[in-house]
Amino acid sequence: SQAVARSVVQAASVYLTPVTLELGGKCPCLIYGRINIQAAAQRLVWAKFFNAGQSCVAPDYVLCTEATRDTLLPTLSSVLEQFYGKEPQKCPDLSRIVSARHFTRLMKLLEQTKGKVVIGGESDQEDKYIAPTVVVDAGEDDALMAEEIFGPILPIFTVEELEKSIEFVNRHEKPLALYVFSDEPSVVKTVMEKTSSGGFCSNDGIVHMTLPGLPFGGVGMCQLTHC
């Protein structure tokens, strides 16, 4: 959290200890306009559920129209089965939650959400396993929007207009990464120009941070802090 980060920096400064704190955040993924839904679903699933969603640049939530959501959901389900099989818990490629504490935190979010689980939702406390999970029909004030999820739970919010989805993003802290899926260059350009984020990637996820020639950092409260 930001409070913890400030405490660490303050403690380190007494001894002139160099530190680097990387603060994560809620990384949005906007899907608008003409789109190859199969390609988008495959890349979204890979980026979101890589390491069971436990990466600072994982897509945290999706914004799209209701029609896009209804097309996306069965494709996500199909891609998840393609990646992790019919029984994801038995798949060696699906990570576990890093600790019992984080498992409990994630399950509490699922218990508190007013949204509907439409994919996944299964869990095993002893195995620290949570299935790749997709939630719909949650509001902007939902528990899943209160903090960075940092786990295999993907809420999808329906916003019919691109401009309204941009306003949705801008009402929250500037994200460490922002993603947009669209085959329309004008959509990508509009999102890029009207939002601010540490990193920006179109029609893919996470890969921007793998390029050694690109800087990696955030904006505002979500940034790399050097002491």
Side-chain angles (χ1 to χ4, degrees), residues 2 26 47 61 98 109 139-140 149 174:
Q2 296 167 9
K26 298 186 74 63
Y61 61 93
V98 67
L109 290 178
E140 190 175 349
I149 293 174
K174 295 180 180 181

Side-chain angles (χ1 to χ4, degrees), residues 6-52:
R6 291 192 188 98
S7 297
V8 171
V9 170
Q10 186 176 16
S13 66
V14 175
Y15 302 99
L16 298 178
T17 304
V19 297
T20 300
L21 298 177
E22 180 261 301
L23 306 180
K26 298 186 74 63
C27 302
C29 176
L30 287 71
I31 306 177
Y32 282 88
R34 190 176 62 256
I35 182 72
N36 181 328
I37 207 73
Q38 180 69 28
Q42 288 179 321
R43 293 169 185 176
L44 177 59
V45 165
W46 180 83
K48 173 61 183 181
F49 299 106
F50 167 80
N51 199 36

Side-chain angles (χ1 to χ4, degrees), residues 113-131:
T113 181
K114 295 179 181 177
K116 178 183 178 183
V117 174
V118 291
I119 297 175
E122 301 84 6
S123 64
D124 183 332
Q125 183 173 4
E126 184 176 348
D127 193 25
K128 294 195 288 289
Y129 165 79
I130 298 177

Side-chain angles (χ1 to χ4, degrees), residues 22-31 43-44 47-49 53-64 144-151 153-157 165-166 168-170 172-181 191 195-201 204-209 216-219 221-223:
E22 180 261 301
L23 306 180
K26 298 186 74 63
C27 302
C29 176
L30 287 71
I31 306 177
R43 293 169 185 176
L44 177 59
K48 173 61 183 181
F49 299 106
Q54 298 167 112
S55 70
C56 58
V57 290
D60 191 272
Y61 61 93
V62 169
L63 295 168
C64 63
L144 291 172
M145 282 298 292
E147 61 182 74
E148 179 184 10
I149 293 174
F150 206 74
I153 304 168
L154 180 67
I156 299 178
F157 299 90
S165 71
I166 291 172
F168 185 111
V169 170
N170 290 337
H172 301 274
E173 290 182 5
K174 295 180 180 181
L176 184 59
L178 191 151
Y179 306 105
V180 56
F181 285 89
V191 176
T195 60
S196 177
S197 57
F200 182 92
C201 189
D204 218 327
I206 296 184
V207 295
H208 66 287
M209 66 174 294
F216 176 68
V219 180
M221 295 305 296
C222 179
Q223 61 183 310

Side-chain angles (χ1 to χ4, degrees), residues 132-146:
T133 298
V134 179
V135 177
V136 300
D137 296 337
E140 190 175 349
D141 60 349
D142 193 79
L144 291 172
M145 282 298 292

